[in-house]
mmCIF file with all atom_site columns, all heavy atoms in Angstrom:
data_model
loop_
_atom_site.group_PDB
_atom_site.id
_atom_site.type_symbol
_atom_site.label_atom_id
_atom_site.label_alt_id
_atom_site.label_comp_id
_atom_site.label_asym_id
_atom_site.label_entity_id
_atom_site.label_seq_id
_atom_site.pdbx_PDB_ins_code
_atom_site.Cartn_x
_atom_site.Cartn_y
_atom_site.Cartn_z
_atom_site.occupancy
_atom_site.B_iso_or_equiv
_atom_site.pdbx_formal_charge
_atom_site.auth_seq_id
_atom_site.auth_comp_id
_atom_site.auth_asym_id
_atom_site.auth_atom_id
_atom_site.pdbx_PDB_model_num
ATOM 1   N N   . ASP M 1 170 ? -14.823 -15.427 17.079 1.00 90.00 ? 170 ASP M N   1
ATOM 2   C CA  . ASP M 1 170 ? -16.100 -15.406 16.365 1.00 90.00 ? 170 ASP M CA  1
ATOM 3   C C   . ASP M 1 170 ? -15.940 -15.642 14.878 1.00 90.00 ? 170 ASP M C   1
ATOM 4   O O   . ASP M 1 170 ? -16.889 -16.011 14.208 1.00 90.00 ? 170 ASP M O   1
ATOM 5   C CB  . ASP M 1 170 ? -16.750 -14.022 16.525 1.00 90.00 ? 170 ASP M CB  1
ATOM 6   C CG  . ASP M 1 170 ? -17.215 -13.799 17.950 1.00 90.00 ? 170 ASP M CG  1
ATOM 7   O OD1 . ASP M 1 170 ? -17.182 -14.778 18.727 1.00 90.00 ? 170 ASP M OD1 1
ATOM 8   O OD2 . ASP M 1 170 ? -17.603 -12.657 18.276 1.00 90.00 ? 170 ASP M OD2 1
ATOM 9   N N   . GLY M 1 171 ? -14.780 -15.368 14.344 1.00 91.00 ? 171 GLY M N   1
ATOM 10  C CA  . GLY M 1 171 ? -14.631 -15.372 12.877 1.00 91.00 ? 171 GLY M CA  1
ATOM 11  C C   . GLY M 1 171 ? -14.999 -13.991 12.363 1.00 91.00 ? 171 GLY M C   1
ATOM 12  O O   . GLY M 1 171 ? -15.740 -13.255 13.007 1.00 91.00 ? 171 GLY M O   1
ATOM 13  N N   . TYR M 1 172 ? -14.441 -13.648 11.206 1.00 94.00 ? 172 TYR M N   1
ATOM 14  C CA  . TYR M 1 172 ? -14.720 -12.334 10.630 1.00 94.00 ? 172 TYR M CA  1
ATOM 15  C C   . TYR M 1 172 ? -16.097 -12.308 9.969  1.00 94.00 ? 172 TYR M C   1
ATOM 16  O O   . TYR M 1 172 ? -16.537 -13.313 9.408  1.00 94.00 ? 172 TYR M O   1
ATOM 17  C CB  . TYR M 1 172 ? -13.704 -12.009 9.532  1.00 94.00 ? 172 TYR M CB  1
ATOM 18  C CG  . TYR M 1 172 ? -12.354 -11.529 10.012 1.00 94.00 ? 172 TYR M CG  1
ATOM 19  C CD1 . TYR M 1 172 ? -11.198 -11.939 9.359  1.00 94.00 ? 172 TYR M CD1 1
ATOM 20  C CD2 . TYR M 1 172 ? -12.235 -10.638 11.070 1.00 94.00 ? 172 TYR M CD2 1
ATOM 21  C CE1 . TYR M 1 172 ? -9.948  -11.484 9.756  1.00 94.00 ? 172 TYR M CE1 1
ATOM 22  C CE2 . TYR M 1 172 ? -10.987 -10.177 11.477 1.00 94.00 ? 172 TYR M CE2 1
ATOM 23  C CZ  . TYR M 1 172 ? -9.847  -10.601 10.817 1.00 94.00 ? 172 TYR M CZ  1
ATOM 24  O OH  . TYR M 1 172 ? -8.621  -10.148 11.203 1.00 94.00 ? 172 TYR M OH  1
ATOM 25  N N   . SER M 1 173 ? -16.727 -11.152 10.006 1.00 94.00 ? 173 SER M N   1
ATOM 26  C CA  . SER M 1 173 ? -17.914 -10.955 9.169  1.00 94.00 ? 173 SER M CA  1
ATOM 27  C C   . SER M 1 173 ? -17.415 -10.727 7.735  1.00 94.00 ? 173 SER M C   1
ATOM 28  O O   . SER M 1 173 ? -16.219 -10.502 7.521  1.00 94.00 ? 173 SER M O   1
ATOM 29  C CB  . SER M 1 173 ? -18.690 -9.727  9.646  1.00 94.00 ? 173 SER M CB  1
ATOM 30  O OG  . SER M 1 173 ? -17.917 -8.567  9.380  1.00 94.00 ? 173 SER M OG  1
ATOM 31  N N   . VAL M 1 174 ? -18.338 -10.735 6.784  1.00 95.00 ? 174 VAL M N   1
ATOM 32  C CA  . VAL M 1 174 ? -17.940 -10.531 5.389  1.00 95.00 ? 174 VAL M CA  1
ATOM 33  C C   . VAL M 1 174 ? -17.233 -9.183  5.231  1.00 95.00 ? 174 VAL M C   1
ATOM 34  O O   . VAL M 1 174 ? -16.196 -9.080  4.568  1.00 95.00 ? 174 VAL M O   1
ATOM 35  C CB  . VAL M 1 174 ? -19.167 -10.627 4.462  1.00 95.00 ? 174 VAL M CB  1
ATOM 36  C CG1 . VAL M 1 174 ? -18.833 -10.153 3.057  1.00 95.00 ? 174 VAL M CG1 1
ATOM 37  C CG2 . VAL M 1 174 ? -19.686 -12.055 4.435  1.00 95.00 ? 174 VAL M CG2 1
ATOM 38  N N   . GLU M 1 175 ? -17.761 -8.155  5.883  1.00 95.00 ? 175 GLU M N   1
ATOM 39  C CA  . GLU M 1 175 ? -17.163 -6.808  5.763  1.00 95.00 ? 175 GLU M CA  1
ATOM 40  C C   . GLU M 1 175 ? -15.773 -6.791  6.382  1.00 95.00 ? 175 GLU M C   1
ATOM 41  O O   . GLU M 1 175 ? -14.833 -6.222  5.825  1.00 95.00 ? 175 GLU M O   1
ATOM 42  C CB  . GLU M 1 175 ? -18.028 -5.738  6.460  1.00 95.00 ? 175 GLU M CB  1
ATOM 43  C CG  . GLU M 1 175 ? -19.363 -5.477  5.812  1.00 95.00 ? 175 GLU M CG  1
ATOM 44  C CD  . GLU M 1 175 ? -20.332 -6.636  6.000  1.00 95.00 ? 175 GLU M CD  1
ATOM 45  O OE1 . GLU M 1 175 ? -20.281 -7.304  7.069  1.00 95.00 ? 175 GLU M OE1 1
ATOM 46  O OE2 . GLU M 1 175 ? -21.118 -6.909  5.061  1.00 95.00 ? 175 GLU M OE2 1
ATOM 47  N N   . GLU M 1 176 ? -15.667 -7.399  7.553  1.00 95.00 ? 176 GLU M N   1
ATOM 48  C CA  . GLU M 1 176 ? -14.358 -7.410  8.224  1.00 95.00 ? 176 GLU M CA  1
ATOM 49  C C   . GLU M 1 176 ? -13.327 -8.160  7.392  1.00 95.00 ? 176 GLU M C   1
ATOM 50  O O   . GLU M 1 176 ? -12.193 -7.723  7.230  1.00 95.00 ? 176 GLU M O   1
ATOM 51  C CB  . GLU M 1 176 ? -14.478 -8.072  9.607  1.00 95.00 ? 176 GLU M CB  1
ATOM 52  C CG  . GLU M 1 176 ? -15.208 -7.224  10.625 1.00 95.00 ? 176 GLU M CG  1
ATOM 53  C CD  . GLU M 1 176 ? -15.594 -8.009  11.878 1.00 95.00 ? 176 GLU M CD  1
ATOM 54  O OE1 . GLU M 1 176 ? -15.710 -9.263  11.802 1.00 95.00 ? 176 GLU M OE1 1
ATOM 55  O OE2 . GLU M 1 176 ? -15.786 -7.394  12.920 1.00 95.00 ? 176 GLU M OE2 1
ATOM 56  N N   . ALA M 1 177 ? -13.755 -9.302  6.856  1.00 95.00 ? 177 ALA M N   1
ATOM 57  C CA  . ALA M 1 177 ? -12.813 -10.108 6.071  1.00 95.00 ? 177 ALA M CA  1
ATOM 58  C C   . ALA M 1 177 ? -12.375 -9.343  4.837  1.00 95.00 ? 177 ALA M C   1
ATOM 59  O O   . ALA M 1 177 ? -11.203 -9.351  4.462  1.00 95.00 ? 177 ALA M O   1
ATOM 60  C CB  . ALA M 1 177 ? -13.473 -11.425 5.665  1.00 95.00 ? 177 ALA M CB  1
ATOM 61  N N   . ARG M 1 178 ? -13.313 -8.659  4.226  1.00 95.00 ? 178 ARG M N   1
ATOM 62  C CA  . ARG M 1 178 ? -12.965 -7.916  3.011  1.00 95.00 ? 178 ARG M CA  1
ATOM 63  C C   . ARG M 1 178 ? -11.964 -6.814  3.351  1.00 95.00 ? 178 ARG M C   1
ATOM 64  O O   . ARG M 1 178 ? -10.981 -6.613  2.646  1.00 95.00 ? 178 ARG M O   1
ATOM 65  C CB  . ARG M 1 178 ? -14.230 -7.326  2.393  1.00 95.00 ? 178 ARG M CB  1
ATOM 66  C CG  . ARG M 1 178 ? -14.002 -6.787  1.030  1.00 95.00 ? 178 ARG M CG  1
ATOM 67  C CD  . ARG M 1 178 ? -15.292 -6.562  0.289  1.00 95.00 ? 178 ARG M CD  1
ATOM 68  N NE  . ARG M 1 178 ? -15.946 -7.817  -0.058 1.00 95.00 ? 178 ARG M NE  1
ATOM 69  C CZ  . ARG M 1 178 ? -16.990 -7.907  -0.864 1.00 95.00 ? 178 ARG M CZ  1
ATOM 70  N NH1 . ARG M 1 178 ? -17.484 -6.828  -1.403 1.00 95.00 ? 178 ARG M NH1 1
ATOM 71  N NH2 . ARG M 1 178 ? -17.529 -9.066  -1.127 1.00 95.00 ? 178 ARG M NH2 1
ATOM 72  N N   . ALA M 1 179 ? -12.217 -6.125  4.452  1.00 94.00 ? 179 ALA M N   1
ATOM 73  C CA  . ALA M 1 179 ? -11.306 -5.043  4.854  1.00 94.00 ? 179 ALA M CA  1
ATOM 74  C C   . ALA M 1 179 ? -9.919  -5.609  5.143  1.00 94.00 ? 179 ALA M C   1
ATOM 75  O O   . ALA M 1 179 ? -8.899  -5.009  4.789  1.00 94.00 ? 179 ALA M O   1
ATOM 76  C CB  . ALA M 1 179 ? -11.862 -4.309  6.069  1.00 94.00 ? 179 ALA M CB  1
ATOM 77  N N   . GLU M 1 180 ? -9.875  -6.747  5.788  1.00 96.00 ? 180 GLU M N   1
ATOM 78  C CA  . GLU M 1 180 ? -8.574  -7.350  6.097  1.00 96.00 ? 180 GLU M CA  1
ATOM 79  C C   . GLU M 1 180 ? -7.911  -7.826  4.804  1.00 96.00 ? 180 GLU M C   1
ATOM 80  O O   . GLU M 1 180 ? -6.703  -7.632  4.595  1.00 96.00 ? 180 GLU M O   1
ATOM 81  C CB  . GLU M 1 180 ? -8.753  -8.502  7.095  1.00 96.00 ? 180 GLU M CB  1
ATOM 82  C CG  . GLU M 1 180 ? -7.470  -9.170  7.559  1.00 96.00 ? 180 GLU M CG  1
ATOM 83  C CD  . GLU M 1 180 ? -6.516  -8.243  8.320  1.00 96.00 ? 180 GLU M CD  1
ATOM 84  O OE1 . GLU M 1 180 ? -6.919  -7.138  8.700  1.00 96.00 ? 180 GLU M OE1 1
ATOM 85  O OE2 . GLU M 1 180 ? -5.348  -8.629  8.489  1.00 96.00 ? 180 GLU M OE2 1
ATOM 86  N N   . ALA M 1 181 ? -8.703  -8.405  3.915  1.00 96.00 ? 181 ALA M N   1
ATOM 87  C CA  . ALA M 1 181 ? -8.157  -8.904  2.643  1.00 96.00 ? 181 ALA M CA  1
ATOM 88  C C   . ALA M 1 181 ? -7.609  -7.752  1.803  1.00 96.00 ? 181 ALA M C   1
ATOM 89  O O   . ALA M 1 181 ? -6.652  -7.921  1.053  1.00 96.00 ? 181 ALA M O   1
ATOM 90  C CB  . ALA M 1 181 ? -9.235  -9.659  1.866  1.00 96.00 ? 181 ALA M CB  1
ATOM 91  N N   . GLU M 1 182 ? -8.216  -6.600  1.966  1.00 94.00 ? 182 GLU M N   1
ATOM 92  C CA  . GLU M 1 182 ? -7.747  -5.458  1.182  1.00 94.00 ? 182 GLU M CA  1
ATOM 93  C C   . GLU M 1 182 ? -6.353  -5.001  1.595  1.00 94.00 ? 182 GLU M C   1
ATOM 94  O O   . GLU M 1 182 ? -5.664  -4.348  0.826  1.00 94.00 ? 182 GLU M O   1
ATOM 95  C CB  . GLU M 1 182 ? -8.736  -4.300  1.305  1.00 94.00 ? 182 GLU M CB  1
ATOM 96  C CG  . GLU M 1 182 ? -9.830  -4.495  0.298  1.00 94.00 ? 182 GLU M CG  1
ATOM 97  C CD  . GLU M 1 182 ? -10.896 -3.446  0.300  1.00 94.00 ? 182 GLU M CD  1
ATOM 98  O OE1 . GLU M 1 182 ? -10.771 -2.469  1.051  1.00 94.00 ? 182 GLU M OE1 1
ATOM 99  O OE2 . GLU M 1 182 ? -11.846 -3.644  -0.457 1.00 94.00 ? 182 GLU M OE2 1
ATOM 100 N N   . ARG M 1 183 ? -5.931  -5.346  2.777  1.00 95.00 ? 183 ARG M N   1
ATOM 101 C CA  . ARG M 1 183 ? -4.611  -4.907  3.237  1.00 95.00 ? 183 ARG M CA  1
ATOM 102 C C   . ARG M 1 183 ? -3.466  -5.654  2.554  1.00 95.00 ? 183 ARG M C   1
ATOM 103 O O   . ARG M 1 183 ? -2.326  -5.223  2.575  1.00 95.00 ? 183 ARG M O   1
ATOM 104 C CB  . ARG M 1 183 ? -4.492  -5.105  4.754  1.00 95.00 ? 183 ARG M CB  1
ATOM 105 C CG  . ARG M 1 183 ? -5.515  -4.322  5.558  1.00 95.00 ? 183 ARG M CG  1
ATOM 106 C CD  . ARG M 1 183 ? -5.045  -4.094  6.985  1.00 95.00 ? 183 ARG M CD  1
ATOM 107 N NE  . ARG M 1 183 ? -4.610  -5.318  7.639  1.00 95.00 ? 183 ARG M NE  1
ATOM 108 C CZ  . ARG M 1 183 ? -3.419  -5.467  8.236  1.00 95.00 ? 183 ARG M CZ  1
ATOM 109 N NH1 . ARG M 1 183 ? -2.567  -4.469  8.271  1.00 95.00 ? 183 ARG M NH1 1
ATOM 110 N NH2 . ARG M 1 183 ? -3.103  -6.623  8.818  1.00 95.00 ? 183 ARG M NH2 1
ATOM 111 N N   . CYS M 1 184 ? -3.788  -6.794  1.961  1.00 95.00 ? 184 CYS M N   1
ATOM 112 C CA  . CYS M 1 184 ? -2.731  -7.642  1.383  1.00 95.00 ? 184 CYS M CA  1
ATOM 113 C C   . CYS M 1 184 ? -2.080  -6.949  0.187  1.00 95.00 ? 184 CYS M C   1
ATOM 114 O O   . CYS M 1 184 ? -2.757  -6.361  -0.642 1.00 95.00 ? 184 CYS M O   1
ATOM 115 C CB  . CYS M 1 184 ? -3.359  -8.961  0.954  1.00 95.00 ? 184 CYS M CB  1
ATOM 116 S SG  . CYS M 1 184 ? -2.303  -9.991  -0.066 1.00 95.00 ? 184 CYS M SG  1
ATOM 117 N N   . VAL M 1 185 ? -0.744  -7.019  0.123  1.00 94.00 ? 185 VAL M N   1
ATOM 118 C CA  . VAL M 1 185 ? -0.045  -6.408  -1.006 1.00 94.00 ? 185 VAL M CA  1
ATOM 119 C C   . VAL M 1 185 ? 0.407   -7.461  -2.018 1.00 94.00 ? 185 VAL M C   1
ATOM 120 O O   . VAL M 1 185 ? 1.102   -7.149  -2.980 1.00 94.00 ? 185 VAL M O   1
ATOM 121 C CB  . VAL M 1 185 ? 1.170   -5.557  -0.558 1.00 94.00 ? 185 VAL M CB  1
ATOM 122 C CG1 . VAL M 1 185 ? 0.713   -4.393  0.308  1.00 94.00 ? 185 VAL M CG1 1
ATOM 123 C CG2 . VAL M 1 185 ? 2.203   -6.398  0.187  1.00 94.00 ? 185 VAL M CG2 1
ATOM 124 N N   . ALA M 1 186 ? 0.015   -8.711  -1.773 1.00 93.00 ? 186 ALA M N   1
ATOM 125 C CA  . ALA M 1 186 ? 0.252   -9.794  -2.732 1.00 93.00 ? 186 ALA M CA  1
ATOM 126 C C   . ALA M 1 186 ? 1.727   -9.974  -3.098 1.00 93.00 ? 186 ALA M C   1
ATOM 127 O O   . ALA M 1 186 ? 2.054   -10.216 -4.252 1.00 93.00 ? 186 ALA M O   1
ATOM 128 C CB  . ALA M 1 186 ? -0.602  -9.580  -3.992 1.00 93.00 ? 186 ALA M CB  1
ATOM 129 N N   . CYS M 1 187 ? 2.588   -9.854  -2.117 1.00 92.00 ? 187 CYS M N   1
ATOM 130 C CA  . CYS M 1 187 ? 4.023   -10.019 -2.395 1.00 92.00 ? 187 CYS M CA  1
ATOM 131 C C   . CYS M 1 187 ? 4.380   -11.487 -2.593 1.00 92.00 ? 187 CYS M C   1
ATOM 132 O O   . CYS M 1 187 ? 5.366   -11.805 -3.251 1.00 92.00 ? 187 CYS M O   1
ATOM 133 C CB  . CYS M 1 187 ? 4.860   -9.423  -1.278 1.00 92.00 ? 187 CYS M CB  1
ATOM 134 S SG  . CYS M 1 187 ? 4.650   -10.257 0.305  1.00 92.00 ? 187 CYS M SG  1
ATOM 135 N N   . GLY M 1 188 ? 3.608   -12.381 -1.977 1.00 92.00 ? 188 GLY M N   1
ATOM 136 C CA  . GLY M 1 188 ? 3.859   -13.811 -2.168 1.00 92.00 ? 188 GLY M CA  1
ATOM 137 C C   . GLY M 1 188 ? 4.959   -14.386 -1.291 1.00 92.00 ? 188 GLY M C   1
ATOM 138 O O   . GLY M 1 188 ? 5.287   -15.571 -1.405 1.00 92.00 ? 188 GLY M O   1
ATOM 139 N N   . LEU M 1 189 ? 5.534   -13.576 -0.400 1.00 93.00 ? 189 LEU M N   1
ATOM 140 C CA  . LEU M 1 189 ? 6.576   -14.113 0.493  1.00 93.00 ? 189 LEU M CA  1
ATOM 141 C C   . LEU M 1 189 ? 5.980   -15.219 1.370  1.00 93.00 ? 189 LEU M C   1
ATOM 142 O O   . LEU M 1 189 ? 6.657   -16.183 1.728  1.00 93.00 ? 189 LEU M O   1
ATOM 143 C CB  . LEU M 1 189 ? 7.148   -13.002 1.368  1.00 93.00 ? 189 LEU M CB  1
ATOM 144 C CG  . LEU M 1 189 ? 7.980   -11.947 0.633  1.00 93.00 ? 189 LEU M CG  1
ATOM 145 C CD1 . LEU M 1 189 ? 8.313   -10.796 1.549  1.00 93.00 ? 189 LEU M CD1 1
ATOM 146 C CD2 . LEU M 1 189 ? 9.249   -12.576 0.064  1.00 93.00 ? 189 LEU M CD2 1
ATOM 147 N N   . CYS M 1 190 ? 4.702   -15.072 1.690  1.00 94.00 ? 190 CYS M N   1
ATOM 148 C CA  . CYS M 1 190 ? 4.012   -16.057 2.514  1.00 94.00 ? 190 CYS M CA  1
ATOM 149 C C   . CYS M 1 190 ? 3.936   -17.405 1.811  1.00 94.00 ? 190 CYS M C   1
ATOM 150 O O   . CYS M 1 190 ? 4.077   -18.454 2.441  1.00 94.00 ? 190 CYS M O   1
ATOM 151 C CB  . CYS M 1 190 ? 2.612   -15.555 2.839  1.00 94.00 ? 190 CYS M CB  1
ATOM 152 S SG  . CYS M 1 190 ? 1.750   -14.904 1.386  1.00 94.00 ? 190 CYS M SG  1
#
Side-chain angles (χ1 to χ4, degrees):
Chain M
D170 290 351
Y172 281 141
S173 68
V174 169
E175 292 71 34
E176 288 167 336
R178 191 164 291 190
E180 183 62 12
E182 275 179 4
R183 300 203 309 127
C184 168
V185 297
C187 64
L189 291 171
C190 46

